[in-house]
Amino acid sequence: MENQGASVVINHHILDGKQADYESWLNEIGPICRNSVGNIDWQIIRPIPNLTFNYTIIIRFDTLDHLKSWMESKQRKELIEKAKPFFAKDDKYLIKSGLDFLFPFEGEPAKVPVRWKQYLVTWSAIYPLSIVVPLIVLPTLKFLNFPENKFVNSFFISGIVVFIMVYILMPRYTSLIKKWLFK
């Protein structure tokens, strides 16, 4: 089997009032994870203040073996133990290869679409977002007096695109084209 990379989506529901402690903990575990063998990137989707309490961390590795090594490592287990007083619920995560985490269907046995279909679906979703999101984000950043900087712009644009992809677009889009996707 070819190396297609692997992702883990971690959800931590944080107790009210423990967000600052959890943020400090993220600053401790983040560099350790990012320095793990095969780590590609680490992204955090933070909760909406005073509204939600879930943090979603998406970590990508070059291989499933490297990802599993990190998730089962002694260092991670010790750090999770340290963070347990901040959790309202247990440390929950889902490991998938490639972009499989974008194609889940609850209540069904795990099925994964073929890679070329995943590619086409993901591309067809990201392409329009890559056109529309900058048209909204760039004027907003300018209005908020953010300095013009391509790295800052890209940070906000990519964060919004990923958020829309994972939470809004892909669950609905894949549901709509489910028959074709899994044929």
Side-chain angles (χ1 to χ4, degrees):
M1 185 173 152
E2 64 184 87
N3 280 340
Q4 299 166 347
S7 301
V8 62
V9 179
I10 305 167
N11 286 302
H12 288 155
H13 184 97
I14 305 305
L15 293 167
D16 192 20
K18 295 292 183 180
Q19 289 85 357
D21 294 326
Y22 182 77
E23 287 282 345
S24 294
W25 177 82
L26 284 174
N27 289 333
E28 182 179 356
I29 195 172
I32 297 168
C33 176
R34 286 190 292 271
N35 287 321
S36 296
V37 174
N39 180 274
I40 296 173
D41 71 3
W42 154 292
Q43 300 199 8
I44 302 168
I45 300 171
R46 288 178 168 78
I48 301 166
N50 303 317
L51 188 62
T52 63
F53 301 95
N54 264 2
Y55 281 77
T56 301
I57 297 98
I58 302 169
I59 309 169
R60 292 186 316 137
F61 277 79
D62 60 351
T63 68
L64 186 57
D65 288 339
H66 285 149
L67 173 58
K68 285 183 177 177
S69 291
W70 162 248
M71 294 304 289
E72 296 166 6
S73 71
K74 182 181 175 192
Q75 275 186 307
R76 183 179 187 279
K77 287 178 182 175
E78 288 172 355
L79 286 162
I80 290 296
E81 281 301 315
K82 185 176 180 178
K84 277 189 177 178
F86 317 140
F87 296 168
K89 298 178 182 176
D90 286 336
D91 175 50
K92 291 187 177 186
Y93 60 87
L94 177 65
I95 294 177
K96 294 285 189 169
S97 63
L99 291 173
D100 299 346
F101 73 93
L102 292 174
F103 300 90
F105 289 101
E106 289 185 31
E108 291 185 6
K111 291 191 269 181
V112 178
V114 293
R115 294 281 173 210
W116 69 268
K117 288 184 179 182
Q118 288 184 42
Y119 167 79
L120 286 177
V121 169
T122 305
W123 183 27
S124 69
I126 287 177
Y127 177 70
L129 289 176
S130 68
I131 294 170
V132 172
V133 170
L135 294 175
I136 297 166
V137 170
L138 295 176
T140 303
L141 292 176
K142 191 172 187 165
F143 176 78
L144 295 172
N145 293 322
F146 272 83
E148 259 189 68
N149 181 303
K150 68 180 180 180
F151 298 109
V152 171
N153 296 347
S154 294
F155 173 79
F156 284 106
I157 291 167
S158 64
I160 291 169
V161 166
V162 170
F163 180 84
I164 291 170
M165 287 286 293
V166 172
Y167 287 101
I168 300 168
L169 185 61
M170 290 310 279
R172 289 165 180 83
Y173 187 26
T174 55
S175 209
L176 184 67
I177 60 169
K178 184 177 167 183
K179 280 186 179 180
W180 172 81
L181 194 57
F182 291 98
K183 191 175 185 182

